[in-house]
Amino acid sequence: MATYPPRSGAPIPFKVIEEQEDHPSQPRLEDYDDFISTLPFEKGSVPSRKYQGFWYPEGFLPGAMAIQQRFKARPDDLFLVSFPKSGTTWLKALVFATMTRKQYPLARHPLLSLNPHDCVAYIEERFAIGQASKVEALPSPRILSTHMPYSLLQDSVAGSGCRIIYIARDPKDALVSFWHFTQKSSPKLNKIPFTEAFEAFCEGKFPFGPIWDHLLGWWRESLKRPEKVLFLKYEGLLEEPVANVKRLAEFVGCPFSEEEEEGGMVEEIVRLCSMESMKSLEVNKVRKHGPIYQFANSSFFRKGVKGDWRNHMSPEMARRLDVIIEEKLQGSGLTGWSSQA
Ligand SMILES: Nc1ncnc2c1ncn2[C@@H]1O[C@H](COP(=O)(O)OS(=O)(=O)O)[C@@H](OP(=O)(O)O)[C@H]1O
């Protein structure tokens, strides 16, 4: 796997560090298990514990706690943050391709042989399996990803000056996508009927939920510090991928030159990271990702459309969820996902 040697000035795939023996995984320093076993429990599709107001999957919770305890962001870190199934994989690919475009020609890009999750480390997972040292060994600038709500991550990023991109999606589609994911991605997840997942989601007793608190924490931070926290919507990326890739390139400090734009570089990145292209790659058909749940790489790529909730929810169910979301987000200025629109 040493086919992608570090290139100065740009992020490198996390996989490079993961496979280096001079940064061995450490056993977990703290054992959080006793404490975790005392927290409220929901079996659901992914057994989760309620921790600091959020339902965290048991597999990732020790990682989130270890991050809170000992992780400090660097000023040049970039975090990609999301509620799961909101476009994380796509955002990882787009940002990684954008930031490494000068180091890795697109025709021989690491994304052609690595899943986006192998390029951008999911920090709760890495800390949970004792790979904090590998996250530390990743040279700057690092791109890291997390599903942590703002309130849980804030101390680790406070005052660092790091940048954050949050991607949000219509909660109805995020729920449908999550449910499909749990049906086939990993034998370690529980298969539950959609109606059960829907009820749990509406009650907020859902992995990483309540979704409204997840959205609000990061939305408010993006309003407070727009130069450091960029809030994107999955639907916006679908509608205007080129404009949004230019926007995120500017945000991360590597805007496209006129020459690049005229030469079609932005469109090439969009094409490389498209659902069609990603799905067709061998690495995304055959391999598994993730040391804890061992997700099939293929399970990160399904339909990639807006409004698939219509195939799973009655208009009444959609309205009920809309009302909950609208009430919770009321007054925040975050809108745009009504089923009536
Ligand atoms: N390249 C690309 N373009 C558009 N859409 C894409 C792309 N890659 C993944 N997807 C869709 O994103 C959904 C998976 O969400 P996440 O990537 O956030 O999942 S995860 O949190 O990382 O597990 C899931 O949405 P659904 O299709 O609705 O299930 C994926 O299909």
Side-chain angles (χ1 to χ4, degrees):
M1 188 31 248
T3 42
Y4 308 110
R7 309 278 180 94
S8 64
I12 62 164
F14 179 73
K15 192 85 174 167
V16 172
I17 299 292
E18 191 187 353
E19 298 195 344
Q20 279 177 3
E21 285 173 11
D22 46 346
H23 301 294
S25 293
Q26 312 291 323
R28 271 205 268 149
L29 292 181
E30 291 84 1
D31 194 346
Y32 300 107
D33 296 347
D34 286 348
F35 172 69
I36 289 175
S37 68
T38 66
L39 297 172
F41 176 76
E42 278 292 324
K43 184 160 177 264
S45 53
V46 187
S48 300
R49 298 276 178 175
K50 192 172 190 186
Y51 176 66
Q52 297 186 353
F54 289 87
W55 289 93
Y56 235 89
E58 283 186 322
F60 298 139
L61 182 51
M65 293 167 76
I67 287 165
Q68 285 187 308
Q69 201 172 331
R70 74 178 112 111
F71 176 77
K72 282 281 171 237
R74 298 176 194 159
D76 50 7
D77 279 345
L78 172 67
F79 286 85
L80 307 183
V81 187
S82 58
F83 185 88
K85 315 326 285 183
S86 300
T88 326
T89 313
W90 193 16
L91 183 67
K92 284 185 181 189
L94 289 170
V95 170
F96 188 75
T98 299
M99 290 181 76
T100 58
R101 67 188 188 271
K102 293 202 168 74
Q103 283 75 12
Y104 304 119
L106 297 190
R108 298 193 305 279
H109 199 273
L111 280 167
L112 294 170
S113 52
L114 294 175
N115 178 272
H117 297 285
D118 290 328
C119 293
V120 177
Y122 171 40
I123 55 173
E124 290 97 296
E125 177 180 66
R126 296 297 148 186
F127 273 70
I129 59 161
Q131 287 192 349
S133 60
K134 290 185 184 269
V135 174
E136 282 307 324
L138 203 56
S140 290
R142 298 184 296 190
I143 314 177
L144 302 170
S145 89
T146 178
H147 292 311
M148 284 171 81
Y150 175 69
S151 55
L152 270 70
L153 188 68
Q154 60 181 343
D155 289 346
S156 298
V157 294
S160 70
C162 69
R163 289 192 172 91
I164 292 157
I165 303 177
Y166 186 86
I167 185 154
R169 187 181 191 184
D170 182 338
K172 299 187 289 301
D173 282 336
L175 162 62
V176 165
S177 180
F178 199 102
W179 180 74
H180 275 286
F181 187 70
T182 56
Q183 297 302 296
K184 59 172 191 192
S185 62
S186 162
K188 298 190 177 184
L189 305 186
N190 303 320
K191 289 167 189 55
I192 61 173
F194 181 74
T195 46
E196 196 179 321
F198 178 84
E199 288 304 325
F201 195 81
C202 288
E203 285 175 40
K205 291 183 173 177
F206 194 84
F208 299 94
I211 189 171
W212 45 86
D213 287 335
H214 205 286
L215 290 165
L216 275 177
W218 288 105
W219 170 248
R220 288 188 178 127
E221 205 47 27
S222 75
L223 295 180
K224 255 190 254 165
R225 299 189 298 131
E227 71 296 347
K228 293 294 182 192
V229 185
L230 176 67
F231 195 97
L232 293 179
K233 284 186 179 168
Y234 178 82
E235 297 77 18
L237 262 187
L238 279 179
E239 273 157 36
E240 293 188 295
V242 170
N244 275 291
V245 169
K246 284 190 208 166
R247 192 173 164 209
L248 60 85
E250 272 168 32
F251 178 78
V252 300
C254 49
F256 292 95
S257 65
E258 254 177 52
E259 211 180 3
E260 283 180 312
E261 287 196 21
E262 280 163 15
M265 174 61 92
V266 190
E267 286 81 0
E268 275 182 52
I269 288 178
V270 168
R271 205 170 311 123
L272 170 71
C273 302
S274 68
M275 173 69 93
E276 202 183 13
S277 150
M278 289 279 129
K279 254 189 175 176
S280 70
L281 296 170
E282 205 52 27
V283 62
N284 293 326
K285 287 183 189 162
V286 296
R287 291 224 218 116
K288 292 207 182 294
H289 169 81
I292 300 174
Y293 294 105
Q294 291 158 0
F295 301 122
N297 277 355
S298 58
S299 61
F300 293 103
F301 308 96
R302 195 180 64 94
K303 284 191 176 176
V305 297
K306 170 182 162 179
D308 193 37
W309 59 263
R310 287 194 170 80
N311 298 314
H312 298 81
M313 289 179 206
S314 65
E316 294 71 33
M317 289 165 87
R319 193 66 209 132
R320 183 177 149 207
L321 183 47
D322 278 351
V323 168
I324 293 172
I325 298 291
E326 281 161 17
E327 276 179 16
K328 300 287 185 186
L329 302 186
Q330 202 172 26
S332 69
L334 181 55
T335 56
W337 294 307
S338 168
S339 60
Q340 315 283 303

